[in-house]
Amino acid sequence: MKTVHGGLDVAELGELGLRPEQVIDFSSNINPLGTSERVRQAAAHADLSAYPDRDCLALREALSERLGVGIDHLLVGNGSTELIHLLARALLREGTTVLILGPTFGEYEAAGRLVSADLQRITARESDGFSWRLESAERVIKQVRPKLVFLCNPNNPTGLYLNGEQVEQIHAAIGPEGVLVLDDAYVSFSDEPWDSIRLLQADNVAILRSMTKDHALAGIRLGYLAANPTLIVDVSRFQPAWSVNSIALAAGLAALEDQAHIDAARVVVQTSKAYLYEQLSDMGLGFTRSAANFLIVKVGDAREVRGGLLRRGVVVRDCSSFGMPEHIRVAVRRREECEQLIGALRQVLER
């Protein structure tokens, strides 16, 4: 069974007589400003007749300079999802334990299942504000001794963001035989980001980053893994040749030189998120105060509410696949788009 994700379902839209350009997509948590013109121009000038650099050397060099790590600490992938599956193939075997802190991104579980790993979960409860009880989590980790621990931070879909000390607390519980996979996909839009790269001083930490989210590159897919060189070599052995295409590489290089685009998007996220908090409070709806560029809203029947919004040209994420059938996940977009979302949500809930 395929993992459920956000994004537009063209077949579903067709059944409702809608075209993609007629709807606003709040189901995908990407840069609300879309792809920058600088990145578009770079992508348009990529040489489509030549094979891409299979080692992604230029992009890894640029990332190395920006992050302050050796080039041998970096692996570029076709989105962070590919890298999640490569990590599972490289480090897990049938019966090997992988621990997932949830509710969270579904590809961690999917990757574990494909290698027949023993899946263990620590699931945050709504009564705790979807925050994990770290002391309890430590005990579980020490008990099951996982080979991999997947931690999304800020977490998708709850928006919970652990600070450096809390992440180090989880890492310490894992011990030297396991690896902490810290998925930083949404850190660029977090309210008070901290630099997780310092955790690479430990050999058993792997950090995932998503340029897809940062720069709205969902159509071409681009992400990278930062880890110790031995782990990078082990993971790269499972990556197909030319996994990252020339358009993605050109776009990635241009994106690294366009920090102003992210800075502008952060302002949009902060402003629009404050608006959503105000409006949702006025409607009497429960929601998370998320550290990221999305939030979850408790609406009752998430599937029904999503359907009602879709018929009004607004797409949100039904969180049933996260085990949260009463919640929807809403990406933070431009203020005027958020106003349309709130208007449609009021209509659906007042029926």
Side-chain angles (χ1 to χ4, degrees):
M1 187 174 74
K2 290 184 178 180
T3 306
V4 178
H5 291 291
L8 301 181
D9 184 330
V10 176
E12 180 184 38
L13 295 179
E15 292 174 358
L16 295 172
L18 295 170
R19 298 188 303 275
E21 61 269 22
Q22 293 177 304
V23 300
I24 305 174
D25 185 9
F26 285 88
S27 69
S28 297
N29 307 322
I30 62 174
N31 188 314
L33 298 181
T35 311
S36 75
E37 184 59 29
R38 184 173 190 165
V39 171
R40 288 181 182 276
Q41 288 295 324
H45 288 91
D47 184 358
L48 303 187
S49 68
Y51 281 102
D53 173 14
R54 63 184 295 173
D55 294 320
C56 306
L57 184 60
L59 183 54
R60 287 167 59 221
E61 288 176 340
L63 286 167
S64 172
E65 182 176 351
R66 167 161 295 212
L67 300 174
V69 301
I71 191 173
D72 56 350
H73 287 67
L74 296 164
L75 178 65
V76 177
N78 190 330
S80 55
T81 293
E82 180 195 34
L83 297 166
I84 289 166
H85 282 265
L86 293 178
L87 280 161
R89 292 180 63 191
L91 299 178
L92 299 176
R93 300 289 182 270
E94 182 176 354
T96 306
T97 300
V98 55
L99 187 140
I100 301 168
L101 282 88
T104 195
F105 187 47
E107 289 296 342
Y108 309 142
E109 179 175 337
R113 288 192 182 281
L114 284 175
V115 295
S116 301
D118 174 27
L119 296 169
Q120 299 289 328
R121 300 172 184 82
I122 297 173
T123 304
R125 296 181 291 191
E126 183 179 359
S127 58
D128 291 326
F130 293 108
S131 296
W132 299 291
R133 298 183 178 183
L134 294 186
E135 291 74 16
S136 175
E138 281 185 279
R139 289 194 295 272
V140 172
I141 292 170
K142 291 177 180 178
Q143 178 183 352
V144 303
R145 301 177 65 185
K147 179 62 178 177
L148 278 184
V149 174
F150 282 106
L151 171 61
C152 187
N153 195 50
N155 186 42
N156 173 20
T158 62
L160 176 73
Y161 188 37
L162 301 182
N163 61 37
E165 290 183 359
Q166 291 171 316
V167 172
E168 289 173 353
Q169 185 177 347
I170 292 173
H171 173 251
I174 295 171
E177 300 303 317
V179 175
L180 172 63
V181 180
L182 184 63
D183 189 343
D184 272 359
Y186 301 103
V187 73
S188 293
F189 301 113
S190 60
D191 296 333
E192 297 180 359
W194 56 275
D195 186 9
S196 61
I197 294 297
R198 62 182 172 83
L199 298 177
L200 295 181
Q201 296 173 8
D203 287 338
N204 63 334
V205 174
I207 297 172
L208 290 167
R209 296 272 175 89
S210 172
M211 299 183 75
T212 295
K213 304 293 190 302
D214 290 357
H215 295 277
L217 301 178
I220 56 176
R221 315 290 298 134
L222 188 63
Y224 61 91
L225 172 70
N228 78 77
T230 300
L231 181 56
I232 291 295
V233 169
D234 289 343
V235 173
S236 65
R237 290 189 300 110
F238 292 87
Q239 186 176 40
W242 306 298
S243 174
V244 183
N245 65 68
S246 296
I247 298 175
L249 291 175
L253 281 170
L256 288 179
E257 298 174 355
D258 201 358
Q259 181 61 36
H261 188 63
I262 295 234
D263 294 339
R266 285 175 56 83
V267 174
V268 171
V269 168
Q270 291 169 0
T271 302
S272 294
K273 194 158 56 172
Y275 167 77
L276 289 172
Y277 289 167
E278 178 185 22
Q279 295 298 312
L280 293 169
S281 294
D282 183 62
M283 296 169 68
L285 295 174
F287 59 91
T288 61
R289 289 192 172 269
S290 167
N293 57 325
F294 53 86
L295 62 152
I296 53 173
V297 186
K298 191 170 186 177
V299 294
D301 187 332
R303 181 179 180 183
E304 181 178 347
V305 170
R306 178 189 178 276
L309 290 172
L310 180 57
R311 289 189 289 274
R312 289 165 173 79
V314 174
V315 182
V316 298
R317 175 71 186 273
D318 170 8
C319 289
S320 296
S321 62
F322 293 106
M324 303 161 63
E326 295 184 305
H327 291 79
I328 58 172
R329 190 192 67 198
V330 175
V332 180
R333 296 182 63 96
R334 297 173 188 260
R335 168 66 182 262
E336 58 270 24
E337 295 171 319
C338 290
E339 290 175 355
Q340 294 183 62
L341 165 69
I342 291 297
L345 186 58
R346 288 185 184 275
Q347 292 177 12
V348 171
L349 295 179
E350 287 172 359
R351 290 182 60 192

